[in-house]
Amino acid sequence: MIDPEDLKVMDLMAKTCVNRGERAQAVEVWTRMSEIYISKELNDDAIEVLKKIMKLEPSNDLAKESLNKLMIKMGKARSRQKLIVILGSLIIVLI
């Protein structure tokens, strides 16, 4: 039986979903992973997972908000405006 909080397995599942064109399922798995990382205060890991979501779905409001909160909490963004610039750069890189 697979542990529902086995993050390595979850990440492999999400990557498999992406490879199969099942983007919504990948986002769902990565969203759950980010929640687990946040609950364990593994904020850098949560940020990396949220960036994966943003790469697949740049307009994902939940990922944007979670990323914004984490970056502010960690002092990596002083305001929403700074985060928008960071996300804007991320989107440009992805395109």
Side-chain angles (χ1 to χ4, degrees):
M1 181 177 215
I2 296 174
D3 179 354
E5 290 193 10
D6 186 333
L7 297 166
K8 289 180 184 179
V9 171
M10 292 175 76
D11 192 48
L12 286 172
M13 287 173 50
K15 288 176 182 176
T16 300
C17 289
V18 170
N19 290 336
R20 296 171 82 186
E22 300 168 351
R23 296 164 58 119
Q25 290 87 346
V27 168
E28 185 177 320
V29 172
W30 278 328
T31 298
R32 179 66 187 128
M33 285 179 65
S34 72
E35 292 167 352
I36 293 168
Y37 281 133
I38 291 167
S39 72
K40 294 181 178 190
E41 296 187 20
L42 298 170
N43 296 331
D44 287 329
D45 294 321
I47 287 171
E48 290 306 311
V49 172
L50 290 165
K51 286 180 179 179
K52 290 178 183 182
I53 295 170
M54 295 301 302
K55 184 176 179 180
L56 280 182
E57 291 185 355
S59 62
N60 186 304
D61 291 333
L62 179 61
K64 283 182 195 178
E65 186 64 29
S66 295
L67 187 57
N68 187 34
K69 286 179 183 178
L70 281 174
M71 293 183 80
I72 289 171
K73 179 179 179 181
M74 296 175 67
K76 293 185 178 182
R78 294 185 188 268
S79 68
R80 182 179 270 309
Q81 192 171 33
K82 184 173 179 181
L83 179 63
I84 291 169
V85 171
I86 292 168
L87 289 176
S89 298
L90 178 65
I91 291 169
I92 289 169
V93 170
L94 297 174
I95 294 175

